[in-house]
Amino acid sequence: MSGTQDRPLRADAARNRAKLLDAATAVFAARGVGVPTEEIARAAGVGVGTLFRHFPTKEALLEAVMVRRLETIAAGAARVAAESEPADALFACFRLIAEQSVGKTAFAGALAAAGIDVHTSLRGPSAAIRELLADLLHRAQRAGAVRPGLTLPDLLALLVGANAALDQLGPDAAGRGRVLEVVLTGLRPH
Amino acid sequence: MSGTQDRPLRADAARNRAKLLDAATAVFAARGVGVPTEEIARAAGVGVGTLFRHFPTKEALLEAVMVRRLETIAAGAARVAAESEPADALFACFRLIAEQSVGKTAFAGALAAAGIDVHTSLRGPSAAIRELLADLLHRAQRAGAVRPGLTLPDLLALLVGANAALDQLGPDAAGRGRVLEVVLTGLRPH
Amino acid sequence: MSGTQDRPLRADAARNRAKLLDAATAVFAARGVGVPTEEIARAAGVGVGTLFRHFPTKEALLEAVMVRRLETIAAGAARVAAESEPADALFACFRLIAEQSVGKTAFAGALAAAGIDVHTSLRGPSAAIRELLADLLHRAQRAGAVRPGLTLPDLLALLVGANAALDQLGPDAAGRGRVLEVVLTGLRPH
Amino acid sequence: MSGTQDRPLRADAARNRAKLLDAATAVFAARGVGVPTEEIARAAGVGVGTLFRHFPTKEALLEAVMVRRLETIAAGAARVAAESEPADALFACFRLIAEQSVGKTAFAGALAAAGIDVHTSLRGPSAAIRELLADLLHRAQRAGAVRPGLTLPDLLALLVGANAALDQLGPDAAGRGRVLEVVLTGLRPH
DNA sequence: CATGAATGAGCATTCATTCAT
DNA sequence: TATGAATGAATGCTCATTCAT
């Protein structure tokens, strides 16, 4: 049911898999998805062969990186959502997701540009997020805390947009706050 | 000093340059920036050699495409800005820019991912837009129509974000309207 | 109708194509089909890129080599067949084909082993040979010079076998003569 | 001198060796000698490590497969040869060897193509066959049942050729009979 | 000046072999 | 001793760029 886990996986193999995912996340973020696979293997301290034993394709590695990211985000969002009532929870989740996905823009763009069909394995984690947000959105709207006409796709698009905006803004904390404030304010009814 | 001059360009050469830019715009948008240069040459109906005569580098071609885009946008924005008073003009420009740059996200991402330094030749056109927006922002804020603390970088980031959001939303007109409405509403003081 | 010729092909391109085919024929024969493509390119005095421009795949190159071989053989066989009456013509063709296809065994084996479907482009030339042999066989049988029950597939198998036998025998001229004599004698009615 | 000795081999080790040889024979025959060693290990139900413990090299495994084949053939030939008088024995052996070595063509070709020097360990079993055939040939010739000039190398080449012919013909029993008939008839004096 | 053939560095991927578990 | 994860050299193929025609 959990997809990625086929067998218990030997201790060292699991360690290498993790090292590879970490290295890939870092290197892709730092140098773009165009980096040679060998670079990633080197960063992970393993040979290329090991990389390809764990991820049969460069594309598969990219997917695994994104899946892990989404899983982390989904978990964080679920935690945050549980702590407050719907409206606040929605806003908190929005902040969290928009903030956490640093650099995701470049990824997603590159993946799409490469004609990669990420959907299959991403559907799982992203479905979790989607459902959570759909629920929160619905309840926040019923509570009158969010614009009534807004749909889930709208919300997701705004999330992607906020993400892109923060990416573009860089580490300027004050600016990030103002930008998020603009979007979150806009979500409220007027 | 006299080597890089922009000679008037013979009629057919100018025509080829235009054909190449059009083809590149279309093909990059349709198939991503990863397309072989030869594909673009073919789409333009010329040989690769001709492409490289006009644009010494693939990167240069990409830049030229974006420059032309920005120039169009800048012109449109200037026109729109002249037609209303500051606050409305700012909102109109925001809409225009966010709408017109369909697919730019993938571009920009890919460029950045490729480690390409677009700045040099883009600074011109984008500076024009920047100045226009800086001016409108300033005056709209003085008129009390836009959040006081918002800076130009904030606004640009929001523009990029809105662009990404619309890209993600696809051609759903109603959704695009709602998303823009959210962001524009958020820009106003509260 | 003639298949391989798509456009007139520029002079130098044609020259390179020929050089590549010659080099490939020689190198494959000398060192087996396992040779790196780069080896062949070097032997032809061109870059790998050129090789792959002419033959989109290593497999395609192999096929082209075999096609040319078969074409040569087919032409020679047709010439020989025209010079005598059916029975003698059949025997002459048999000798010619068995002799000319030195090293073909290794080729064909390797191709089959590689799971390559050579048929498509080979069908043309080999069909020509097949038809010629079918005709000669039929007429030689009617003339009472060849075993009556023998079919075309039988004859082709014997041809392949004779080829293999000669390959195995090496350059010992007397031995080659005796071996061919055995097979040709066996073809006659008894 | 004591390093390469053939220790009796523990029961399970012997079983593994046999499983590997069987698997290799089957897999090589079915998918060609290009199959990854891991495929063979899997088919044998052991790990690659075990495979390489028994056969230090892929080439060594191939050789072992062929050796076993030749041993089987040699034994069969010896049995058949004992049952009749020289001439018939020779023909029976010829049939047997030609028939039994189905698929050997691809093997031998691939081995040769790979530049593998099979001789060392094959000389043993093949020497047995060679001697048997040499003896039979000699006696059959003295009995006037086989062409006088024919040498042992000629006979071996014809054997390889017959093998190739049968391989090419496939399972068509009647055809196989006719083809062998042709060659065997050719062997007789005329 | 346009063309498209030639170039070759670069990259993803495979696979025989080794070695930690 | 068996296992299968790790290794990395080797290979087929691509594509930006150059240059002969």
Side-chain angles (χ1 to χ4, degrees), chain A residues 39-59:
Chain A
E39 206 95 329
I40 292 166
R42 183 166 26 236
V46 305
V48 243
T50 303
L51 189 157
F52 280 97
R53 165 177 280 271
H54 285 281
F55 307 95
T57 281
K58 194 188 188 182
E59 174 189 331

Side-chain angles (χ1 to χ4, degrees), chain A residues 91-117:
Chain A
F91 293 121
C93 278
F94 196 101
R95 276 179 198 278
L96 180 94
I97 298 176
E99 287 283 5
Q100 286 219 358
S101 20
V102 181
K104 204 189 68 186
T105 311
F107 264 28
L111 283 180
I116 292 176
D117 191 31

Side-chain angles (χ1 to χ4, degrees), chain A:
Chain A
M1 275 293 144
S2 70
T4 314
Q5 162 212 42
D6 270 6
R7 297 192 197 196
L9 211 56
R10 242 166 57 179
D12 55 347
R15 199 159 35 248
N16 275 340
R17 200 191 133 90
K19 280 197 292 183
L20 278 165
L21 275 177
D22 289 345
T25 304
V27 176
F28 280 147
R31 314 218 356 229
V33 291
V35 278
T37 47
E38 214 169 325
E39 206 95 329
I40 292 166
R42 183 166 26 236
V46 305
V48 243
T50 303
L51 189 157
F52 280 97
R53 165 177 280 271
H54 285 281
F55 307 95
T57 281
K58 194 188 188 182
E59 174 189 331
L61 175 58
L62 272 166
E63 242 182 66
V65 166
M66 299 216 35
V67 165
R68 207 178 55 159
R69 247 188 190 181
L70 284 182
E71 281 172 349
T72 307
I73 291 177
R79 207 175 319 115
V80 163
E83 291 172 3
S84 356
E85 26 99 37
D88 288 358
L90 180 65
F91 293 121
C93 278
F94 196 101
R95 276 179 198 278
L96 180 94
I97 298 176
E99 287 283 5
Q100 286 219 358
S101 20
V102 181
K104 204 189 68 186
T105 311
F107 264 28
L111 283 180
I116 292 176
D117 191 31
V118 206
H119 303 305
T120 317
S121 60
L122 284 184
R123 262 188 227 292
S126 77
I129 298 180
R130 239 205 292 278
E131 277 170 35
L132 176 67
L133 289 175
D135 181 50
L136 291 178
L137 174 60
H138 206 64
R139 288 160 64 192
Q141 283 175 325
R142 267 198 307 213
V146 164
R147 280 168 183 271
L150 213 73
T151 68
L152 181 62
D154 297 350
L155 186 66
L156 294 174
L158 282 165
L159 220 24
V160 168
N163 184 20
L166 294 182
D167 247 36
Q168 142 96 17
L169 209 49
D172 163 14
R176 297 172 80 90
R178 285 191 302 272
V179 160
L180 272 178
E181 195 51 39
V182 165
V183 181
L184 293 180
T185 300
L187 285 177
R188 296 208 173 80
H190 288 275

